[in-house]
Amino acid sequence: MKNKKLFLMPFLLIILLIAGCSNGSVAEQSVLENAKESKTITWGVKADTKLFGLTDVRDGQQKGFDVDMAKLITKKILGKDGKAKFVTVTSQSRIPLLKNGNIDAIIATMTNTPERSKIVDFSNSYFDAGQSLLVPDNSPIKTTADLKNKTVLGVVGSNSVENIKKVAPDAKVLQLQDYAQAMSALKSGQGDALTTDNGILYGMAVQNKGFKVVGGTFTKEPYSIAVNKDQRDFVKAANKAIKEIEASGEYNELIKKWFGDVPKFNYKELYR
Amino acid sequence: MINIISNHWEELLNGLGWTLLSSILALFFSLIIGSFFAIMEVLPSKTARVIGQIYVEIFRNIPLLVITMFFYLVIPMYVVKINGFTAGTIGLTIYTSAFIAETVRSGIQSIDIGQMEGARSTGMTYWQSMRYIILPQAFKIVIPPLGNQFVNLVKNSSVLAFVAGFDLMYQGNMLASTTFDTINSYLIVGLLYLVITLPMSYYMQHLEKKMA
């Protein structure tokens, strides 16, 4: 008898866990009200993307355009004493983390696409990117037309891998775990080109000598803040905050701060 | 869940195929390499024993992902161009072979020393006694732990996902990120791994009973 009961224990635990999960309707509560109560907004940001969200090894803080935008928006929504908390996400993990309530909102180089709009709500765009190619300096690849029978590297969960399949159907696409790993793979010759949004690629070109961005932009990628479905009030507040930041000139200051030093790139194009 | 399977069965089948291929290749070569180093470890020559021990201790104590990444990123830069699938399979083979070497070695050493002495006294050479007397008995003893290693090997093959090796886990990641149905995508992948590992476990149990 005793043994039988012990045998049932794991099942009971699992049932309890599942029950706990369905009750934890964190994702369904109003993010904006929770944030106002706790005076904090938890943002999902990248930690491997230079210029947008990169962990500084010296102090362990994430730094980048996305991170600064998140801080400004938090202040606009919650007032001076509002605090922005940051959680590291990747292209692959950001939607699951948002869905299970670990983060309140995503500001992680995330493009507003129709497919994603079905499962999350997007704010207005806060940055206009476009997809491009990063190749070694001596590469014969100049545009996407040169990608025939070449291997293109991308990152799992980013929509750039879907786009490149449309633009260059004859190219072989390999999906790696994150941008740092994709860059290492490009360096060791596992692929002929790396594709993602130009902003991210410029960051890589700054960090890695001997690589250049080619091919112009062949898609439009409006980066937006993503929140769970039915968080209209948060989206409204975020949109209002973005407008205020643009109007006050803080937006252009941020653009200059992060994109002012990118070689062969006119950062003033991004001014709003 | 049915939705994902009916829309993406090709990718899933593809992933299952690559996982199986990688596992079979790694199983075959790791068994050979592992047995080779196991015998090295019990040879009378001290040099051979030390070489065997160094191999086993190094690769048994480095994470599989590190070995695989080394073959994926470093080897192509300096030695020869290999793709993710090959790098992953090589990593799996080396990693598993170290564990198999330890398993087989313990099997050989569990055979009573009298067996070797008896074989030698009938006029067999060292290698003949090893081949016909010691190894058959040793392998019989190590079948259950070897079975565990093989099941582990199949599960460890998910390391291929990190080097774009097109295996089940890689396809699972892609499904999760294209369908946004994370729970069901990984559930399906988990079930497909069970499809490979459960029959293996049962076959090993059957073999164990038959041999005993």
Side-chain angles (χ1 to χ4, degrees), chain A residues 87-90 93-104:
Chain A
V87 170
T88 302
V89 298
T90 63
S93 71
R94 58 193 172 190
I95 289 182
L97 285 176
L98 181 72
K99 286 276 158 201
N100 67 20
N102 276 346
I103 51 180
D104 296 332

Side-chain angles (χ1 to χ4, degrees), chain A residues 218-236:
Chain A
F218 49 89
T219 61
K220 280 200 165 48
E221 308 282 339
Y223 285 176
S224 307
I225 295 162
V227 292
N228 264 309
K229 277 274 171 213
D230 303 320
Q231 300 288 351
R232 293 272 146 75
D233 45 351
F234 188 94
V235 172
K236 256 186 213 154

Side-chain angles (χ1 to χ4, degrees), chain B:
Chain B
M1 193 159 177
I2 306 291
N3 214 353
I4 296 182
I5 295 176
S6 58
N7 286 332
H8 299 278
W9 61 273
E10 262 176 279
E11 287 105 309
L12 285 166
L13 220 58
N14 205 344
L16 190 71
W18 285 109
T19 293
L20 266 177
L21 182 65
S22 166
S23 304
I24 291 169
L25 286 173
L27 197 153
F28 179 73
F29 287 111
S30 61
L31 194 57
I32 293 177
I33 298 172
S35 308
F36 174 79
F37 280 102
I39 295 172
M40 290 266 281
E41 278 189 290
V42 295
L43 282 182
S45 149
K46 198 177 175 204
T47 339
R49 283 207 307 270
V50 168
I51 292 173
Q53 273 161 11
I54 289 175
Y55 178 88
V56 168
E57 288 308 324
I58 286 180
F59 290 113
R60 200 169 58 145
N61 293 307
I62 297 178
L64 171 59
L65 194 52
V66 176
I67 304 176
T68 305
M69 278 300 168
F70 183 83
F71 277 94
Y72 186 60
L73 295 175
V74 183
I75 297 290
M77 242 190 247
Y78 301 104
V79 192
V80 59
K81 240 187 122 165
I82 50 175
N83 63 24
F85 178 79
T86 319
T89 310
I90 293 175
L92 261 182
T93 305
I94 292 179
Y95 180 78
T96 314
S97 71
F99 284 93
I100 289 185
E102 271 307 274
T103 312
V104 175
R105 178 196 58 81
S106 67
I108 294 174
Q109 284 180 339
S110 72
I111 305 296
D112 193 87
I113 193 128
Q115 296 282 324
M116 176 60 102
E117 284 164 356
R120 294 298 295 276
S121 68
T122 62
M124 283 187 179
T125 65
Y126 178 84
W127 289 109
Q128 276 172 335
S129 347
M130 203 64 171
R131 164 75 184 78
Y132 294 104
I133 307 295
I134 306 295
L135 285 183
Q137 298 184 69
F139 270 104
K140 210 163 133 183
I141 291 172
V142 298
I143 279 176
L146 268 188
N148 280 339
Q149 294 301 341
F150 292 158
V151 172
N152 275 341
L153 169 81
V154 174
K155 293 186 291 175
N156 285 341
S157 71
S158 56
V159 76
L160 260 72
F162 287 84
V163 290
F166 306 111
D167 72 318
L168 257 182
M169 187 63 197
Y170 179 79
Q171 305 292 358
N173 283 340
M174 287 215 315
L175 285 189
S177 63
T178 49
T179 63
F180 304 114
D181 190 348
T182 325
I183 302 172
N184 283 325
S185 302
Y186 288 121
L187 264 180
I188 292 170
V189 167
L191 287 176
L192 285 175
Y193 273 109
L194 280 183
V195 166
I196 308 179
T197 48
L198 277 187
M200 273 179 84
S201 298
Y202 280 115
Y203 181 68
M204 282 294 164
Q205 272 173 22
H206 167 77
L207 211 61
E208 207 179 306
K209 275 191 197 129
K210 215 174 97 184
M211 301 286 265

Side-chain angles (χ1 to χ4, degrees), chain A residues 100-124:
Chain A
N100 67 20
N102 276 346
I103 51 180
D104 296 332
I106 302 171
I107 183 159
T109 63
M110 188 167 176
T111 307
N112 179 349
T113 67
E115 295 89 52
R116 287 176 183 158
S117 299
K118 285 179 200 155
I119 51 161
V120 295
D121 276 343
F122 282 106
S123 72
N124 294 338

Side-chain angles (χ1 to χ4, degrees), chain A residues 13-269:
Chain A
L13 268 176
I14 288 170
I15 289 166
L16 277 178
L17 265 176
I18 292 171
C21 288
S22 53
N23 270 343
S25 53
V26 198
E28 282 150 34
Q29 295 164 3
S30 168
V31 169
L32 188 63
E33 272 164 37
N34 278 354
K36 277 183 176 156
E37 218 166 87
S38 62
K39 286 281 172 204
T40 20
I41 299 178
T42 310
W43 298 89
V45 293
K46 289 279 183 75
D48 62 346
T49 313
K50 176 115 174 143
L51 304 181
F52 286 92
L54 182 73
T55 306
D56 189 330
V57 282
R58 278 164 298 184
D59 53 13
Q61 301 278 321
Q62 280 103 336
K63 285 172 188 171
F65 181 76
D66 281 350
V67 178
D68 283 354
M69 269 310 270
K71 282 178 189 158
L72 278 180
I73 293 169
T74 309
K75 293 262 185 271
K76 299 278 177 209
I77 294 179
L78 299 178
K80 278 268 178 295
D81 52 348
K83 266 205 305 249
K85 220 175 107 191
F86 295 106
V87 170
T88 302
V89 298
T90 63
S91 300
Q92 196 187 350
S93 71
R94 58 193 172 190
I95 289 182
L97 285 176
L98 181 72
K99 286 276 158 201
N100 67 20
N102 276 346
I103 51 180
D104 296 332
I106 302 171
I107 183 159
T109 63
M110 188 167 176
T111 307
N112 179 349
T113 67
E115 295 89 52
R116 287 176 183 158
S117 299
K118 285 179 200 155
I119 51 161
V120 295
D121 276 343
F122 282 106
S123 72
N124 294 338
S125 112
Y126 66 91
F127 183 86
D128 292 313
Q131 195 173 339
S132 198
L133 297 169
L134 183 75
V135 295
D137 274 343
N138 57 4
S139 169
I141 297 169
K142 287 193 183 66
T143 67
T144 48
D146 301 327
L147 288 176
K148 209 175 171 180
N149 299 326
K150 298 270 197 244
T151 305
V152 185
L153 303 167
V155 171
V156 183
S158 64
N159 57 319
S160 42
V161 287
E162 300 301 321
N163 292 333
I164 199 77
K165 283 177 194 161
K166 284 174 209 148
V167 180
D170 298 320
K172 192 179 165 204
V173 181
L174 293 184
Q175 305 191 21
L176 290 142
Q177 298 295 309
D178 56 34
Y179 291 114
Q181 211 197 328
M183 188 65 223
S184 311
L186 181 67
K187 274 187 192 163
S188 61
Q190 293 290 359
D192 303 298
L194 198 166
T195 187
T196 184
D197 306 334
N198 55 350
I200 302 173
L201 291 181
Y202 284 122
M204 291 177 171
V206 171
Q207 273 182 316
N208 300 281
K209 294 274 164 284
F211 290 88
K212 61 181 179 183
V213 180
V214 296
T217 57
F218 49 89
T219 61
K220 280 200 165 48
E221 308 282 339
Y223 285 176
S224 307
I225 295 162
V227 292
N228 264 309
K229 277 274 171 213
D230 303 320
Q231 300 288 351
R232 293 272 146 75
D233 45 351
F234 188 94
V235 172
K236 256 186 213 154
N239 284 342
K240 193 169 151 257
I242 293 171
K243 253 197 203 117
E244 283 173 25
I245 292 164
E246 282 171 13
S248 67
E250 288 165 296
Y251 184 86
N252 290 353
E253 273 170 41
L254 278 190
I255 290 286
K256 195 174 171 213
K257 175 181 171 192
W258 289 104
F259 300 95
D261 303 327
V262 176
K264 295 177 227 150
F265 181 57
N266 182 13
Y267 63 90
K268 287 194 175 133
E269 285 172 16

